[in-house]
Amino acid sequence: HYFIQSNLRKALLPNMANASDDKRQLKIKSGIVKRVNKELSMYEKEVEDGEKKLVEMESSNQDPYDIKKFKEVVEESRGMVPDSRNRLKKALEDLDRLLEIAELENTEEFKQAKEIRDSVSL
């Protein structure tokens, strides 16, 4: 019964169904941008902090095994930075495409997504 009503509504009011879906996608895509941007920042900070700690470990002549293992941890974090950048780039492209939909410009979802988009750069 609900399925029939839903399909009938989409057939009679296709623009409303699309606008609703687009608003939902705006929320999803802007959330992805926020999350991936935060991940990227965390990995970059991990690498920076790890490199400082490595210098400290080497200068205080700590166990070579510990230094080697910590280098591996830093390298793993360093390897995640390009991946996170690529995912952020794709997420920004997806969000930019949605922000081009004129019908959404006066919605709250659009304003929030635009704020998020403006706060993130590569």
Side-chain angles (χ1 to χ4, degrees), residues 26 94-101 105 110 113-114 117:
L26 262 180
D94 291 346
L95 183 58
D96 287 341
R97 267 194 297 275
L98 278 171
L99 289 172
E100 291 174 2
I101 299 173
E105 272 187 32
F110 180 89
K114 186 76 172 128
R117 175 59 182 103

Side-chain angles (χ1 to χ4, degrees), residues 1 4-5 9 14 16 22 24 32 41 43-44 50 52 55 75 77 87 94 100 106-107 113-114 118 120:
H1 184 267
I4 294 171
Q5 284 181 340
R9 187 174 341 164
M16 285 188 69
D22 290 340
R24 186 170 169 267
I32 291 171
S41 297
Y43 283 124
E44 289 172 336
K52 287 178 186 174
V55 170
E75 285 304 313
S77 293
R87 289 186 299 123
D94 291 346
E100 291 174 2
N106 295 323
T107 65
K114 186 76 172 128
D118 292 342
V120 175

Side-chain angles (χ1 to χ4, degrees), residues 1-10:
H1 184 267
Y2 172 77
F3 180 74
I4 294 171
Q5 284 181 340
S6 175
N7 283 338
L8 181 61
R9 187 174 341 164
K10 286 180 183 176

Side-chain angles (χ1 to χ4, degrees), residues 26-87:
L26 262 180
K27 280 185 166 182
I28 291 169
K29 298 298 181 186
S30 57
I32 291 171
V33 166
K34 271 176 68 172
R35 180 178 46 79
V36 175
N37 188 51
K38 187 175 182 179
E39 274 180 31
L40 176 60
S41 297
M42 286 176 25
Y43 283 124
E44 289 172 336
K45 183 165 175 27
E46 264 182 43
V47 169
E48 184 181 316
D49 293 347
E51 288 173 345
K52 287 178 186 174
K53 185 170 179 179
L54 267 174
V55 170
E56 290 173 13
M57 290 174 79
E58 289 170 343
S59 67
S60 65
N61 294 324
Q62 288 195 11
D63 183 14
Y65 179 80
D66 291 341
I67 293 172
K68 178 184 172 205
K69 285 299 174 187
F70 197 74
K71 277 183 183 176
E72 291 173 7
V73 170
V74 172
E75 285 304 313
E76 189 176 314
S77 293
R78 185 177 285 122
M80 292 304 295
V81 171
D83 176 61
S84 294
R85 271 202 187 104
N86 289 337
R87 289 186 299 123

